[in-house]
Amino acid sequence: MTKRKLWPAMIGIVTLPTLIAAQSVSVGAGSYSTVRPPECAPLPTELSKTSAVKGATPTNQWWSSLVWENYSQNLFAHPLGMVCHAGGLAVAYPGAGIDGKSGNIMGGAVSKTGDFVIGHSKMSQFPSSKLGGYSSWFVTVDFTEAGSNLTTTFGHGSPFVYGQIKGGDPLVTFSDKPVVWSGKEGDAVLGVTVRGNHYGLFGSKGSKWTGLGSSKFTNEGSKGYFSIALLPDKKAATFSTFLKYAHNHVVDTTVAYKTLNGRLETTYYFETKAMEGSGKGTLFALYPHQWKYSKASLSGQEYRSVRGVMKLSSGSSFSTSVAIQGLLPMLPAEGIADNARMRAYLTKEAAATKTTEYKDTYWEGKHLGKLATLSGIAGVMGEKEMQAVFVAEIRTRLENWLAASEGETSPLFYYNKTWGTLIGNKPSYGSDKELNDHHFHYGYFIRAAAEVARLDPAWAKKWGPMVNLIIRDIASIKKDDEMFPHLRCFDIYAGHSWASGHAKFADGNNQESSSESMNAWYGLMLWGEVTGDTALRDTGIFLYNTERTAVEEYWFDVSGTNFPKDFPNVALGMVWGGKGAFATWFSGDIDCIHGINWLPFTPASIYMGRFPNYVKKNHARIVEKREKGNDYNNGWGDLVVMFNALNNPKMAAKYIDENPACSLEGGNTHAFMYHWIHTLDRLGRNDSGIISTHPFTNVYLKDSKKTYAAYNFQKQPLQVKFSDGFSMTAEPGRLTVKSSDQ
């Protein structure tokens, strides 16, 4: 969750440090504090989890409210929705009630009655629910009191809720009297319909469901396990298929990924335990960003969700294959139309660059991001002195953030062991007390550090350990990391990140600025490459390209297949677990609703141009709804122009040429706006149909001419091959640009 304000003037400024008895822990040349600075609000001292859950507990997940509260807020696993309360686990099918006519995408409610509540025959009220375990996209909830125990396990894509019970029998309380269409009183398995939704109730062998004819069913004689499944229909064949997998409880979920010939190959694994029999595998539903890129065998059966249609498959795994979008650390010099004008822009920025006050982690990050972009522009122009000014400023500011001196409170990072997190001071938008937005904020720091490291490897060795610690806070690649959770902000199965640390909302977790999430993964790719950490680089590739497909499907719906037909807008400002909102946390202005998912514009923003026709449709809607139409010298008009350049660079070039001092969003510069627009105008739009053997490339297409750009971070020449047959040698330590007619 991000509560970003429009004007940086509203952000507090660090003046004189407040002295505290800080304990500083050295990490390379840097350090962090273990004492909470006074400016940072305290976090809860306890997490709602059982003793079985070891290590740093994830936050920023779809189920995180479970850890922050005594019970939970609504948990949107998709296709099912759940909520924990004293009576047990309420379960519903939100996909049955989706509409978009309000201007937002709304799903059906979960509520404390749901379609039914899974409870315990001997315990009417549990004092709490706790996190009992988790894997990459499944979670286990523990309800325990006085010898009565109920655990329920569920996850993304699964139509099943798996249960285990002690000290009593499973009790299912329906919100309405259900219709039983398969089975009878005393059977171990039943097919029922409640509120129009079909479910299978699968008791253990030899058990019997009783209470038929009422709204409360008890699974008497349970052997301690059971499952309940949402059925796509009530056909006998469907019921038989679900029965086959009903007692194969999912006990672990994992993901593996690799890059191969310009593609990201990802495999999602389900580990199951046969509670009876010897069966393997399970049933699972794929999101649109998965089934559109997968050769998984689909049953033809579907569920509705606020993300679009989910398609059913079976087995122990499935794989996806996504084209890797190549990225550059800077745009080509060939994209600068007027060197004198660009030099004037850079000179003005360099003159204004001086270390004064330090801002909170978000606005400090935006400033560092601007400096990193300006460094790249100055570099390709050969303006080494100005580049040195920008890099020196980045270095100075980062070193102050990356070191926690005794008695200092800001700028620094402090570590909270209870929650396994690194918090920058000053915090903002709940980055301290709610653990919000860490990937948004820290992504700017990581990218800026990568820019310094690209030019100064010795600096990276000296300060790299502390940069790596910040990276571990948002995206630790180690599952056994003792200090931080694995991939804190990223939802592996949903394919995108979550911004709220606690997810304490009725609509689940949320993310507004998908583009700032993408900026973080861009930073990971660059830092991993410049430091030789190929595992981290490849994780950045996985995160960036997976979230890219999610942005295309869920924030933009570029193919027009996921938003409800009655939804009147062409994009979302915020994606929630249980809805899609055409809104932001900070403004109802249409520039902001669209633009918050574009900024910061960097060389990595090229991914937004993979579907030029969508860009055209998006821009047309904004102009139609803007208060001043196509008068872009107001609001975030600069961002609207830059976005439209991905489809119509000629229009954008005309605007920037006629308005050299146009108004800017707070994180933008005229220098990069000019470079971005004229690169697209002079070299062409992003040719997304071409991939390469090297992740740091761009291919531009104008008329029939292609321009290939590759950045080689290494000290030796690199041969780069493209999927259209073109091949080029990328010179060491620089950006090499070739055209198809060379």
Side-chain angles (χ1 to χ4, degrees):
M1 179 185 71
T2 179
K3 299 178 180 177
R4 195 171 289 101
K5 306 295 190 296
L6 280 172
W7 309 114
M10 299 179 73
I11 305 301
I13 301 299
V14 175
T15 52
L16 296 175
T18 302
L19 297 180
I20 59 172
Q23 182 174 347
S24 180
V25 178
S26 296
V27 184
S31 56
Y32 63 88
S33 174
T34 58
V35 176
R36 176 177 60 86
E39 298 93 338
C40 291
L43 283 159
T45 56
E46 294 184 4
L47 288 74
S48 181
K49 64 178 184 177
T50 68
S51 59
V53 180
K54 307 295 184 182
T57 303
T59 59
N60 303 77
Q61 290 297 310
W62 60 274
W63 47 265
S64 287
S65 66
L66 175 66
V67 181
W68 288 74
E69 297 190 338
N70 199 38
Y71 295 108
S72 81
Q73 295 287 328
N74 290 339
L75 310 172
F76 293 94
H78 300 153
L80 289 168
M82 298 82 169
V83 63
C84 304
H85 57 77
L89 183 75
V91 181
Y93 174 36
I98 293 173
D99 73 77
K101 58 181 178 291
S102 67
N104 299 294
I105 300 172
M106 307 302 295
V110 178
S111 79
K112 290 190 175 181
T113 57
D115 287 343
F116 54 86
V117 176
I118 301 174
H120 193 290
S121 65
K122 301 297 184 180
M123 181 62 61
S124 61
Q125 299 280 309
F126 285 99
S128 67
S129 64
K130 297 181 182 295
L131 174 66
Y134 64 92
S135 59
S136 291
W137 58 89
F138 265 62
V139 64
T140 294
V141 180
D142 183 273
F143 300 86
T144 299
E145 176 68 10
S148 296
N149 172 260
L150 169 69
T151 61
T152 57
T153 299
F154 46 90
H156 276 325
S158 179
F160 285 100
V161 176
Y162 304 103
Q164 296 192 55
I165 195 163
K166 294 179 181 178
D169 294 318
L171 172 67
V172 179
T173 303
F174 295 94
S175 57
D176 293 316
K177 184 178 176 181
V179 175
V180 179
W181 44 264
S182 180
K184 62 184 185 301
E185 181 92 11
D187 285 352
V189 297
L190 299 174
V192 306
T193 298
V194 58
R195 298 174 62 193
N197 302 322
H198 311 304
Y199 292 94
L201 278 59
F202 304 102
S204 57
K205 187 175 181 180
S207 67
K208 56 183 180 180
W209 288 100
T210 63
L212 279 67
S214 72
S215 61
K216 292 188 176 183
F217 291 7
T218 303
N219 186 223
E220 295 182 2
S222 170
K223 294 180 180 178
Y225 58 88
F226 64 98
S227 68
I228 300 178
L230 173 68
L231 308 176
D233 56 57
K234 58 179 185 178
K235 296 177 181 178
T238 299
F239 190 70
S240 177
T241 298
F242 274 73
L243 177 59
K244 173 184 175 182
Y245 292 103
H247 296 302
N248 296 347
H249 287 208
V250 173
V251 294
D252 195 16
T253 54
T254 56
V255 69
Y257 49 85
K258 63 181 178 181
T259 61
L260 182 65
N261 298 323
R263 302 192 69 83
L264 172 67
E265 309 287 343
T266 307
T267 302
Y268 302 82
Y269 294 96
F270 298 82
E271 181 182 338
T272 57
K273 178 181 179 181
M275 305 303 288
E276 58 185 54
S278 57
K280 294 183 179 180
T282 186
L283 294 166
F284 47 83
L286 282 66
Y287 282 110
H289 80 279
Q290 295 169 326
W291 58 257
K292 288 185 179 183
Y293 297 95
S294 179
K295 294 182 179 179
S297 178
L298 303 175
S299 70
Q301 296 166 306
E302 301 174 346
Y303 297 104
R304 296 185 71 201
S305 81
V306 290
R307 301 291 178 269
V309 171
M310 300 183 74
K311 299 193 175 187
L312 194 65
S313 186
S314 62
S316 297
S317 67
F318 70 93
S319 298
T320 61
S321 179
V322 175
I324 293 173
Q325 172 62 59
L327 304 178
L328 297 173
M330 75 288 291
L331 297 178
E334 288 81 353
I336 300 173
D338 185 334
N339 285 341
R341 180 171 168 182
M342 179 61 84
R343 194 171 292 109
Y345 281 145
L346 293 176
T347 299
K348 182 178 179 180
E349 293 287 351
T353 297
K354 54 184 177 180
T355 305
T356 53
E357 60 267 343
Y358 289 85
K359 304 176 183 180
D360 63 70
T361 47
Y362 180 69
W363 287 97
E364 182 72 20
K366 284 175 76 79
H367 183 57
L368 289 168
K370 286 199 296 186
L371 292 169
T373 300
L374 292 168
S375 168
I377 299 171
V380 296
M381 287 191 69
E383 297 288 344
K384 299 301 183 184
E385 290 185 7
M386 278 195 284
Q387 183 177 35
V389 170
F390 299 132
V391 173
E393 179 69 0
I394 296 173
R395 185 186 290 112
T396 297
R397 302 189 81 92
L398 282 178
E399 289 176 7
N400 271 284
W401 277 97
L402 299 178
S405 303
E406 292 295 332
E408 179 192 15
T409 66
S410 182
L412 55 70
F413 288 90
Y414 95 92
Y415 179 72
N416 182 293
K417 185 176 181 180
T418 300
W419 289 90
T421 187
L422 204 62
I423 298 173
N425 189 41
K426 284 190 172 182
S428 53
Y429 312 122
S431 62
D432 52 349
K433 63 182 178 181
E434 298 173 334
L435 303 186
N436 298 338
D437 300 359
H438 282 201
H439 58 317
F440 293 168
H441 299 201
Y442 302 171
Y444 289 102
F445 284 72
I446 297 162
R447 183 190 165 218
E451 178 64 8
V452 178
R454 181 178 68 86
L455 301 167
D456 187 355
W459 185 91
K461 290 182 180 180
K462 185 177 180 181
W463 292 93
M466 192 61 197
V467 176
N468 286 331
L469 201 71
I470 294 173
I471 290 172
R472 285 165 60 192
D473 179 77
I474 64 170
S476 176
I477 64 176
K478 297 179 179 179
K479 286 192 174 182
D480 58 351
D481 193 324
E482 294 182 356
M483 289 185 68
F484 302 98
H486 180 236
L487 300 179
R488 178 192 303 278
C489 302
F490 194 74
D491 188 322
I492 289 172
Y493 201 86
H496 61 82
S497 306
W498 295 113
S500 170
H502 57 63
K504 295 193 296 183
F505 305 97
D507 291 309
N509 212 327
N510 71 90
Q511 180 164 266
E512 181 181 62
S513 185
S514 60
S515 48
E516 286 182 303
S517 186
M518 295 290 284
N519 184 57
W521 313 145
Y522 175 42
L524 257 64
M525 287 178 63
L526 293 172
W527 179 259
E529 181 72 9
V530 298
T531 60
D533 189 337
T534 56
L536 183 61
R537 179 202 63 195
D538 289 350
T539 296
I541 292 173
F542 163 69
L543 296 171
Y544 180 94
N545 287 279
T546 304
E547 187 142 7
R548 168 180 67 77
T549 61
V551 171
E552 291 166 354
E553 297 296 336
Y554 312 131
W555 276 262
F556 295 164
D557 191 17
V558 295
S559 59
T561 59
N562 301 324
F563 292 167
K565 291 182 179 179
D566 57 359
F567 180 64
N569 298 303
V570 300
L572 291 173
M574 305 169 70
V575 162
W576 290 77
K579 69 180 182 182
F582 188 70
T584 73
W585 281 106
F586 61 96
S587 173
D589 182 83
I590 194 166
D591 285 9
C592 297
I593 293 173
H594 286 261
I596 196 61
N597 287 293
W598 302 338
L599 62 78
F601 272 92
T602 72
S605 301
I606 197 73
Y607 74 94
M608 293 189 293
R610 294 176 64 85
F611 297 88
N613 288 338
Y614 171 75
V615 173
K616 181 180 179 180
K617 179 173 74 171
N618 187 313
H619 175 259
R621 177 59 61 86
I622 297 172
V623 171
E624 176 188 348
K625 299 294 183 179
R626 291 185 90 232
E627 183 178 345
K628 295 186 178 181
N630 60 3
D631 174 8
Y632 302 105
N633 200 23
N634 60 81
W636 284 359
D638 56 319
L639 304 188
V640 177
V641 172
M642 293 175 75
F643 180 74
N644 194 42
L646 290 160
N647 170 64
N648 188 356
K650 184 177 181 181
M651 163 268 170
K654 183 175 186 295
Y655 174 79
I656 189 63
D657 288 345
E658 293 177 354
N659 298 272
C662 63
S663 64
L664 295 173
E665 180 273 328
N668 200 11
T669 66
H670 289 112
F672 188 68
M673 184 179 183
Y674 188 74
H675 198 186
W676 169 265
I677 289 171
H678 278 287
T679 295
L680 296 169
D681 185 46
R682 290 162 67 87
L683 303 184
R685 302 187 306 195
N686 177 26
D687 191 339
S688 61
I690 300 176
I691 56 179
S692 77
T693 56
H694 184 53
F696 298 99
T697 59
N698 273 178
V699 181
Y700 308 95
L701 176 63
K702 183 173 184 178
D703 300 323
S704 59
K705 181 181 177 180
K706 297 177 184 176
T707 301
Y708 305 81
Y711 193 91
N712 179 8
F713 292 84
Q714 308 307 317
K715 295 180 179 180
Q716 300 81 29
L718 176 69
Q719 197 67 22
V720 181
K721 297 180 180 179
F722 295 85
S723 58
D724 63 351
F726 188 82
S727 181
M728 63 184 285
T729 300
E731 299 300 325
R734 60 185 292 266
L735 182 63
T736 303
V737 180
K738 300 286 185 180
S739 63
S740 55
D741 57 7
Q742 287 181 293

